[in-house]
Amino acid sequence: MLALGSLVLAQGVNAAARQTPSIFAPASTPAAEVAGYAWLVIAICAVIFVIVGGMTLFALYRFRARPGDEGREPPQIYASSQIELAWTVVPILIVFVLSLVTARTILALQKDERPEGWLEVTAIGHQWWWEFHYPEYGFTTANELHIPLSEGADPWPTFLNLQSQDVIHSLWVPRLSGKTDVIPNRTNHLWMDPHEPGLYVGQCAEYCGTQHAGMLLRVVVEPREDFERWVAEQQRPAVARESLESERALFEQTACISCHTVRGTVARGEFGPDLTHLMSRATLGSGVARNDRANLIEWVTNPDHLKPGARMPAMQLAPAEINGIVDYLVSLE
Amino acid sequence: MAASDAPTHPHAISWTDTLHDWVTTVDHKRLGIMYIGAGLLFFIIGGLEAAAMRWQLAFPENDALSPETFNRLFTMHGTTMVFLVGMPVITGFGNYLIPLMIGARDMAFPRLNAWGFWMFLFGGLLLYFSYFGSTGLYGAGSAPDVGWFAYTPLSGKAFSRGNAADYWILGILISGFGSLSGAVNMLTTALTMRCEGMTLGRMPLLVWMMVVVSLLILIAMPPLTAAQVMLLFDRYLGAHFFDTQAGGDAVLWQHFFWFFGHPEVYILMIPGFAYASEIIPVFSRKVIFGYSAMVAATITIGVLSFGVWAHHMLAVGMSSGLNIWFGAITMVVGVPTGIKLFNWIATLYGGHIRFRVPMLFCAAFLLQFLLAGLTGIMLAAVPFDWQLTDSYFVVAHFHYVLIGGLLFTIFAAIYYWFPKMSGFMLSETLGRWHFALFLIGFHLTFTTMHIQGILGMPRRIYTYPADRGWDVWNAITSFGVVFQAAGIACFAVALVLAFRRRVPAGDDPWDAWTLEWSTTSPPPAYNFEALPHVKSRRPLWDEKHPEDPDWKYE
């Protein structure tokens, strides 16, 4: 009994740990609209497949050569304008109807300007991580996008401005919306209004160099109050602990601050992710590893171990220095 | 391969003489065979690259390959399969068959023909030399890793240092000259060198389709070449066409590339239709149904192919109007393509279908191409494409087109015309094994890939987390490679055995109807003793059925 129970439990845990970003498990209007429209397209195509495929199989089977056919040719039939016309017109009609439905869906979903009252987030693609800027709240974070639940009488959809710092990326969270490319020198747009709280995974969908596969993306959808609490926490500058004064000094005296920002301190670098509230994030390196002390030590020692090709260099620090810096990082809650 | 036009020395011919004959040849048949042979060698290389990638992706978080290695592999695999396998094989068959099918003694420009082949081969070798030379003489170089469509600014100097991307640019640019000269040659030959009585309306469908393909190459290839030169200017002469850091436009490259790239899909696929349009009638024992409709559909596909390029770019943030246009016009391509499929089915209808190896491959092609076309409609359905593009669904779709469609018909064409080219039959038994194993492998690998795409797996990732639910599907996809490789092994053995066993093919092993079967196998250097005179689309039918010739009905 115990074994069976633990087996069931283990499977339950497994299922909970699974994060399959299926496009047919939509949790937001754009994704749901696309899924509904997709089922229509698939249904039409399936009917065509069954009919035409059935005709092909029937012809192949029914008209196979049989004993006695040798030396005897079947009747030669050259063409028929009526038949050609029929199988030209019917597909044209199908295409016409499908194009109208497509146009309607495109017009309903594509938005180039932020409607009044929507949350605005600017997502900036970098090789190989995401920067998220909340202009209304004046803070920046990385790799884990928090957006509010949008439901019922009080909807609060999120409107994303997409920009790139370097090459072309593409932002794709399948359960929340289709993808849109993130292109340097342009601003593209994407929106989502999640109906269920939870964690949604996605990743960069346009090949962007060595660690394209390591440019993962996590979207945390929270009820309004939780989201607002998170915003308030993120807006605070970094809280420095008195006891970690020397560790902070160590961090600020190394090259860390050329690339990273810790708001409220001298660290104002812009090439790497904002570290002000590093420990509020669950993962490191844009989702490639869990954000804990052991992984932070490995990351600071040599980012290539966890993410080969990552742009952050190994700083060649002594173990004691690395320990000190990680002590400071762990305090950035 | 047996060469009937080899000089007949009284003593044994040394291998250097044979080599010299082949290297210096301007004979369209030898060049055709060399194109196909070189294409098949590159096919083995491209296939091994794919197998290595599938090994890496068979398990989540696998570290068999580094990300750099993997990115080079998919770049080289895609570039190889499109430019160094697809293009030479279709050019090779065009070269070999067009003069024979229209009753000519050679191509219009035999020397240009040879030049084109050597340019293609040089371009391909240059691309592969990148593995040794791309960072110069000092360090160990390596191959380009920018993807086969080399999107800017990733392929610009700022993000692709060293010379790897230059090898991609120049290798493809040079082999492109080969394709262009081949197109000029095939077009001129078909238009000006047809034998007496062969009006345009009596040209075999294969020749018609290669005419359309040649026109597509002539219009589509130059924009790619121009864009590649512009990229070289960006990289070395301080130009900023695509250099976003200096105000250049990243999307401009995509417009140039896909203005070439989409017609390119038809440049590769229409020859597949061409082989099927010759093989299906012969093995159904019926004339092709709707010859004129087939020609019209081919021309329509050719014209439409220049209006659909941005369906590769539906997620770049184009306006709704453009998205609606490119989605709709892409679906329209389904109409002429459907006409072709219906005509092939009508050709089968009422026939006496002989399931020899070429016909087996064509039968699978019909069903696979149907599915490839329907997933193409799904991808043209713009909002659906926002989810599917750049996912494994797209990978599944275009492999269904290029393997399930093109490669299956290429295998059909090889089994069908090999007896003409060599004078020997390929083993029917090994051919059936080849077909069965490859069919199983193809579906294990590429039918499952649709599912990874729907489950949110992007293409071109060298690894993926274990918690995504993609692992089982990827394992099946990779497992299919074993069957595909076994099928290809049967094919290779069949080719070798054909020259060991030397089962004579005779002039006309399939009881076919076009002119290439009226001469010996292999044909002499001059092709025909006397140039033929034709009165219909099926001159050999007329000869075999004097009581009921075609010209009475056409």
Side-chain angles (χ1 to χ4, degrees):
Chain A
M1 273 310 276
L2 200 68
L4 196 69
S6 59
L7 194 71
V8 171
L9 195 69
Q11 276 180 343
V13 168
N14 264 343
R18 280 233 146 155
Q19 289 289 344
T20 304
S22 167
I23 66 173
F24 287 120
S28 143
T29 304
E33 286 274 318
V34 170
Y37 164 85
W39 280 122
L40 173 75
V41 177
I42 290 173
I44 293 173
C45 290
V47 170
I48 298 174
F49 183 73
V50 169
I51 294 174
V52 182
M55 276 163 39
T56 312
L57 284 175
F58 170 77
L60 286 169
Y61 179 75
R62 170 70 184 75
F63 299 106
R64 69 195 186 280
R66 290 162 220 235
D69 282 346
E70 296 90 26
R72 194 168 63 83
E73 302 286 25
Q76 304 293 304
I77 299 154
Y78 294 83
S80 155
S81 333
Q82 291 93 329
I83 294 179
E84 296 285 354
L85 192 68
W87 63 44
T88 309
V89 171
V90 172
I92 287 177
L93 292 178
I94 298 174
V95 165
F96 182 71
V97 172
L98 205 49
S99 298
L100 290 184
V101 181
T102 304
R104 192 197 68 83
T105 315
I106 291 173
L107 292 173
L109 292 181
Q110 212 171 342
K111 289 193 198 306
D112 296 332
E113 283 194 22
R114 181 170 67 107
E116 201 58 35
W118 287 25
L119 173 69
E120 181 175 14
V121 181
T122 299
I124 302 168
H126 295 258
Q127 279 183 325
W128 295 282
W129 59 282
W130 302 93
E131 175 180 341
F132 297 113
H133 181 60
Y134 292 70
E136 292 150 294
Y137 302 114
F139 69 87
T140 299
T141 179
N143 300 330
E144 294 180 13
L145 173 66
H146 284 243
I147 58 174
L149 193 64
S150 173
E151 56 173 0
D154 191 21
W156 196 11
T158 302
F159 189 80
L160 290 157
N161 305 310
L162 308 177
Q163 296 170 349
S164 168
Q165 190 67 29
D166 37 54
V167 300
I168 301 177
H169 306 278
S170 190
L171 193 144
W172 189 28
V173 187
R175 295 188 62 199
L176 297 180
S177 149
K179 64 183 75 60
T180 300
D181 291 352
V182 177
I183 299 173
N185 285 359
R186 303 199 164 198
T187 303
N188 278 338
H189 306 286
L190 196 63
W191 64 279
M192 39 189 69
D193 61 342
H195 305 316
E196 295 163 34
L199 173 70
Y200 298 90
V201 293
Q203 64 192 90
C204 177
E206 184 69 80
Y207 174 62
C208 56
T210 311
Q211 268 296 344
H212 168 53
M215 195 165 163
L216 304 172
L217 180 57
R218 295 157 68 86
V219 181
V220 179
V221 174
E222 300 159 310
R224 184 178 275 262
E225 317 76 67
D226 294 355
F227 175 74
E228 278 167 346
R229 194 174 317 123
W230 177 82
V231 166
E233 280 164 18
Q234 295 290 316
Q235 280 175 311
R236 283 185 301 122
V239 184
R241 258 182 242 159
E242 289 291 320
S243 60
L244 291 171
E245 204 49 44
S246 64
E247 284 81 358
R248 183 171 68 92
L250 187 62
F251 177 81
E252 288 170 1
Q253 282 156 18
T254 59
C256 305
I257 62 168
S258 327
C259 294
H260 294 288
T261 291
V262 179
R263 258 176 294 129
T265 75
V266 297
R268 294 202 194 116
E270 289 183 346
F271 293 109
D274 187 302
L275 301 179
T276 309
H277 299 287
L278 173 65
M279 296 319 285
S280 72
R281 306 203 281 263
T283 60
L284 266 184
S286 200
V288 299
R290 210 146 50 100
N291 185 12
D292 57 26
R293 195 190 157 84
N295 281 338
L296 272 170
I297 286 179
E298 191 162 358
W299 181 264
V300 176
T301 308
N302 188 351
D304 263 7
H305 291 163
L306 292 173
K307 192 169 180 175
R311 289 287 194 219
M312 175 171 155
M315 300 306 295
Q316 315 295 343
L317 301 171
E321 292 173 310
I322 289 172
N323 254 314
I325 286 173
V326 171
D327 284 342
Y328 173 64
L329 291 177
V330 170
S331 77
L332 298 172
E333 282 167 347
Chain B
M1 239 161 249
S4 57
D5 56 345
T8 42
H9 295 287
H11 47 82
I13 305 164
S14 76
W15 68 271
T16 49
D17 288 340
T18 314
L19 185 67
H20 181 264
D21 283 348
W22 281 86
V23 170
T24 58
T25 189
V26 291
D27 177 355
H28 74 100
K29 296 181 291 299
R30 287 186 162 198
L31 287 165
I33 289 167
M34 281 155 74
Y35 263 119
I36 297 168
L40 290 179
L41 289 179
F42 279 118
F43 172 75
I44 299 299
I45 296 172
L48 291 172
E49 287 160 354
M53 286 189 282
R54 283 321 311 180
W55 174 246
Q56 164 71 11
L57 292 175
F59 318 102
E61 287 161 34
N62 194 2
D63 57 1
L65 299 177
S66 72
E68 291 88 352
T69 307
F70 186 90
N71 297 345
R72 284 175 196 128
L73 282 174
F74 72 67
T75 302
M76 294 299 273
H77 168 76
T79 308
T80 302
M81 289 303 195
V82 170
F83 293 101
L84 307 179
V85 180
M87 292 304 275
V89 170
I90 64 134
T91 314
F93 274 108
N95 251 304
Y96 191 93
L97 292 171
I98 290 173
L100 284 168
M101 284 186 147
I102 62 171
R105 298 217 187 274
D106 204 321
M107 296 287 272
F109 309 112
R111 281 168 187 276
L112 181 68
N113 204 6
W115 183 79
F117 170 77
W118 293 106
M119 288 302 271
F120 141 72
L121 190 63
F122 178 66
L125 295 178
L126 185 65
L127 178 69
Y128 271 89
F129 183 70
S130 64
Y131 266 111
F132 312 100
S134 86
T135 52
L137 288 173
Y138 302 102
S142 208
D145 61 353
V146 290
W148 84 272
F149 36 74
Y151 273 3
T152 56
L154 186 65
S155 56
K157 202 71 183 164
F159 301 101
S160 287
R161 299 191 193 87
N163 296 106
D166 303 312
Y167 276 86
W168 179 85
I169 295 171
L170 288 170
I172 300 314
L173 191 147
I174 289 169
S175 78
F177 285 123
S179 305
L180 277 170
S181 66
V184 169
N185 219 339
M186 289 192 282
L187 188 63
T188 316
T189 308
L191 291 184
T192 63
M193 298 184 59
R194 301 189 305 278
C195 68
E196 208 179 326
M198 183 166 288
T199 58
L200 283 177
R202 289 181 190 157
M203 273 198 320
L205 277 178
L206 182 141
V207 183
W208 254 116
M209 294 188 185
M210 292 312 291
V211 165
V212 174
V213 166
S214 304
L215 285 168
L216 294 189
I217 292 176
L218 290 179
I219 300 172
M221 216 66 194
L224 173 67
T225 306
Q228 288 179 316
V229 171
M230 288 159 78
L231 184 54
L232 274 183
F233 281 12
D234 269 16
R235 289 176 62 85
Y236 291 104
L237 304 184
H240 306 298
F241 294 110
F242 314 114
D243 175 8
T244 46
Q245 292 173 326
D249 190 340
V251 178
L252 179 64
W253 168 268
Q254 300 189 20
H255 282 292
F256 274 117
F257 188 88
W258 292 116
F259 188 79
F260 149 79
H262 203 78
E264 171 69 14
V265 175
Y266 298 110
I267 289 168
L268 292 173
M269 201 52 240
I270 291 175
F273 301 157
Y275 312 145
S277 301
E278 296 300 330
I279 294 169
I280 289 173
V282 167
F283 288 89
S284 306
R285 307 310 304 155
K286 276 183 66 203
V287 65
I288 185 84
F289 186 88
Y291 172 94
S292 318
M294 290 297 266
V295 173
T298 308
I299 294 171
T300 311
I301 291 176
V303 172
L304 288 174
S305 75
F306 289 105
V308 299
W309 77 91
H311 70 210
H312 296 265
M313 303 161 55
L314 295 174
V316 303
M318 289 189 298
S319 70
S320 300
L322 283 176
N323 280 338
I324 291 170
W325 159 265
F326 281 107
I329 198 75
T330 303
M331 288 184 191
V332 172
V333 178
V335 177
T337 313
I339 292 174
K340 292 196 167 191
L341 210 48
F342 292 130
N343 278 314
W344 289 319
I345 298 170
T347 306
L348 299 174
Y349 195 89
H352 295 164
I353 303 166
R354 297 175 183 171
F355 286 102
R356 304 292 298 275
V357 176
M359 189 61 196
L360 289 174
F361 277 106
C362 282
F365 152 78
L366 288 176
L367 289 161
Q368 286 157 189
F369 189 71
L370 170 64
L371 194 59
L374 292 172
T375 55
I377 295 284
M378 295 178 200
L379 288 163
V382 181
F384 201 2
D385 181 83
W386 291 335
Q387 288 283 20
L388 297 178
T389 188
D390 276 316
S391 79
Y392 258 80
F393 192 92
V394 172
V395 182
H397 163 73
F398 67 69
H399 282 91
Y400 248 75
V401 174
L402 291 177
I403 297 183
L406 178 63
L407 187 61
F408 270 69
T409 53
I410 286 177
F411 285 141
I414 292 175
Y415 282 92
Y416 183 65
W417 279 295
F418 179 87
K420 177 56 60 184
M421 294 178 175
S422 67
F424 307 125
M425 295 302 285
L426 282 166
S427 156
E428 185 77 9
T429 315
L430 280 167
R432 283 170 186 273
W433 276 103
H434 170 197
F435 171 74
L437 290 167
F438 200 78
L439 184 80
I440 294 168
F442 168 76
H443 286 283
L444 283 176
T445 298
F446 297 105
T447 309
T448 46
M449 268 189 193
H450 293 101
I451 298 168
Q452 282 104 298
I454 282 169
L455 296 182
M457 179 167 168
R459 67 193 285 201
R460 299 179 158 183
I461 53 174
Y462 78 97
T463 189
Y464 51 94
D467 64 0
R468 292 292 195 268
W470 303 333
D471 38 359
V472 177
W473 301 107
N474 276 305
I476 299 172
T477 295
S478 294
F479 184 56
V481 174
V482 178
F483 287 85
Q484 291 188 59
I488 298 298
C490 291
F491 175 52
V493 172
L495 284 178
V496 173
L497 275 189
F499 293 106
R500 288 276 176 85
R501 290 185 179 159
R502 307 176 85 86
V503 179
D507 293 355
D508 183 15
W510 311 113
D511 193 6
W513 305 310
T514 36
L515 283 178
E516 76 271 30
W517 305 105
S518 68
T519 183
T520 54
S521 304
Y526 44 84
N527 289 353
F528 302 97
E529 274 177 33
L531 285 180
H533 177 117
V534 302
K535 292 165 85 177
S536 79
R537 293 170 194 147
R538 294 192 298 171
L540 269 62
W541 171 275
D542 296 348
E543 210 170 277
K544 292 168 187 172
H545 301 272
E547 76 293 350
D548 189 27
D550 261 5
W551 48 264
K552 280 192 185 167
Y553 304 98
E554 280 172 4

